[in-house]
Amino acid sequence: LAPWIPVVGLEIHAQISSNSKLFSGSQVQFAAPPNSLVSFFDASLPGTLPVLNRRCVEAAVMTGLALNCSINKKSLFDRKHYFYADLPAGYQITQQRVPIAVNGSLSYSLCIDNKMSQMVTKTVRIKQIQLEQDSGKSLHDDTRSQTLVDLNRAGVGLMEVVMEPDMCCGEEAAAAVRELQLILQTLGSSQAVMAEGQLRVDANVSVHHRGEPYGVRTEVKNINSIRFLAKAVDYEIQRQIEELENGGTILNETRAFDSKLGCTVPMRDKEGKQDYRFMPEPNLPPLILYDAKSLPANMNHQQVINIDWIHERLPDLPRVKREKLVEQYGILPEHSFTLLNEDGLAEFFESVVKQTQMKPKKVIGWILNDLLSYLKQHSLTVKESPVSSFLLADLLNLLEKKEISSTAAKRVLAELWKGEGKTPLEIVKEQKLELLQDQKELEQICQAVIDGQENEVIMMVLG
């Protein structure tokens, strides 16, 4: 039998890092008391009008440029109609016809057979990035059999990043989203914390045989962790293959991933495709952006957005940062991935390297094998580490000067981890961990041992 070819495409909603919402002045804040951040516009009171947030537009342009997209100098807003308790207006303002950015690409790397030393780089095409409002949140109270609505999130600015179906497994999907997450965090365009709903992934999955058209796809909605994304996609691929091999059919439906059971479950069927009745948003003019060439001379710079100005100020993206780390410090490419994957670890590593005489290649071992395993064991972030880069550098300097052995250094690190405020040198002195350098002193110790064990020495000589 011909093998099945899985096809995976992703739609990712990233919450824009902004103090206020996309079209209103309401504040954006996670876990605020329910309905405490709702303006008249968010609640959709009659006569209220949207006012576009400049910061959200700049964040979308910056993200589009970082993902190699063409930025549309003219983009349009649309209304997407559907009726749900947490959508007060009965429609969402989005960009369906002409989004802000199109035709980009994202390169990501993944290991072959879980071997960090064998990495392959792949590319997924980005179809578009569009600006849109988030909806509110429905909280289902089963004990009282009622649903409560919190509109704090209603109207928060989102960037929807639509990827082409260029992936074929959970691992690829997870690696692509992780790279996107790093890019968004580097740009500051989204904090992209999945646990706070700032990055939510919908995965479209189908399977087919080579040479045949794509199979019917299902959509797994609202996945909120990278680990769950990989599991959900792989489970769904397997489920579809088994269904088809047993003579069944795949329904075009929306499913959810149950993380406790590790499987996807049906939510609603999509056969009678919902008609969103898209229409142009009458209260918002086309969004016009400029570049250095098209910028009108007499225009107030506060009123316009210059794409070239944003482009010039893009920070180094994760890919470039990794290349620089490898080049500058001679570390292995796979180590540069680990350094960047842990928030703040690359800065910690560079800080230690600056303060120690030890070679970067040796420093990386201490950071990845020792420090990182301590942090993971205690579920701490790099910023919460009780051992600062200054203390670790101090310790590595003692080791480098051969004042202590590497076994002793590990003991000192364990002591430092307790966070009692002692320096490495104080711990070494307290616990008498110094390596003896004085030849005479060593001879005296050896002599004392021999003198105290005369019988054993005689037995060894005779033996």
Side-chain angles (χ1 to χ4, degrees), residues 2-299:
W4 291 99
I5 298 170
V7 177
V8 181
L10 304 177
E11 291 165 17
I12 298 148
H13 288 93
Q15 182 182 311
I16 297 169
S17 181
S18 163
N19 294 330
S20 53
K21 296 184 180 179
L22 184 56
F23 299 117
S24 82
S26 295
Q27 205 190 335
V28 175
Q29 187 194 327
F30 179 68
N35 296 311
S36 59
L37 307 172
V38 186
S39 69
F40 290 157
F41 177 77
D42 307 328
S44 197
L45 296 191
T48 54
L49 293 169
V51 178
L52 184 56
N53 178 341
R54 178 193 177 99
R55 157 69 192 158
C56 291
V57 177
E58 286 177 338
V61 170
M62 200 189 290
T63 305
L65 292 169
L67 295 175
N68 311 304
C69 292
S70 306
I71 307 295
N72 280 325
K73 291 210 190 119
K74 177 183 178 181
S75 60
L76 307 171
F77 288 99
D78 303 280
R79 287 184 179 183
K80 173 183 180 177
H81 293 79
Y82 62 95
F83 294 95
Y84 204 69
D86 57 23
L87 193 75
Y91 61 81
Q92 173 197 38
I93 302 178
T94 179
Q95 293 191 307
Q96 193 246 348
R97 292 163 301 156
V98 186
I100 194 162
V102 292
N103 301 336
S105 63
L106 168 70
S107 291
Y108 61 95
S109 297
L110 67 162
C111 330
I112 303 170
D113 304 330
N114 282 333
K115 290 191 189 121
M116 277 301 278
S117 53
Q118 288 180 286
M119 299 198 86
V120 53
T121 299
K122 300 200 166 195
T123 302
V124 54
R125 291 167 298 153
I126 306 284
K127 184 183 179 199
Q128 65 190 58
I129 299 174
Q130 62 204 43
L131 279 167
E132 61 186 33
Q133 300 166 292
D134 207 345
S135 59
K137 198 173 183 181
S138 293
L139 307 157
H140 306 293
D141 182 345
D142 292 335
T143 48
R144 297 185 195 164
S145 62
Q146 61 181 11
T147 293
L148 303 170
V149 175
D150 177 9
L151 292 180
N152 281 348
R153 216 172 62 183
V156 167
L158 299 178
M159 294 177 281
E160 182 177 356
V161 180
V162 182
M163 295 181 173
E164 297 283 8
D166 293 343
M167 291 164 280
C168 69
C169 64
E171 193 188 359
E172 285 188 9
V177 171
R178 179 66 184 122
E179 188 67 8
L180 176 65
Q181 187 182 37
L182 278 176
I183 289 170
L184 294 170
Q185 289 167 342
T186 302
L187 297 172
S189 59
S190 170
Q191 290 166 352
V193 178
M194 294 187 93
E196 294 185 10
Q198 294 166 354
L199 201 68
R200 310 195 286 276
V201 185
D202 301 340
N204 290 297
V205 180
S206 70
V207 297
H208 66 283
H209 287 305
R210 193 175 300 285
E212 291 178 3
Y214 283 1
V216 174
R217 69 177 188 195
T218 58
E219 182 181 27
V220 187
K221 287 288 274 188
N222 279 334
I223 305 165
N224 60 0
S225 114
I226 288 176
R227 204 160 48 89
F228 292 163
L229 170 63
K231 286 184 171 173
V233 167
D234 287 339
Y235 175 86
E236 190 52 25
I237 290 168
Q238 246 354 85
R239 185 191 72 81
Q240 291 188 16
I241 291 172
E242 283 170 20
E243 185 71 40
L244 292 167
E245 287 187 344
N246 291 329
T249 54
I250 300 301
L251 298 177
N252 176 217
E253 63 183 351
T254 300
R255 297 175 75 88
F257 179 66
D258 184 322
S259 54
K260 288 188 181 72
L261 298 174
C263 65
T264 65
V265 290
M267 277 168 71
R268 56 182 179 267
D269 131 41
K270 283 187 155 187
E271 291 301 327
K273 195 159 175 356
Q274 192 165 1
D275 179 10
Y276 290 119
R277 297 195 335 274
F278 283 103
M279 62 173 265
E281 168 53 65
N283 295 325
L284 285 164
L287 171 57
I288 307 293
L289 305 175
Y290 298 89
D291 56 17
K293 283 197 201 87
S294 63
L295 198 66
N298 54 355
M299 187 70 85

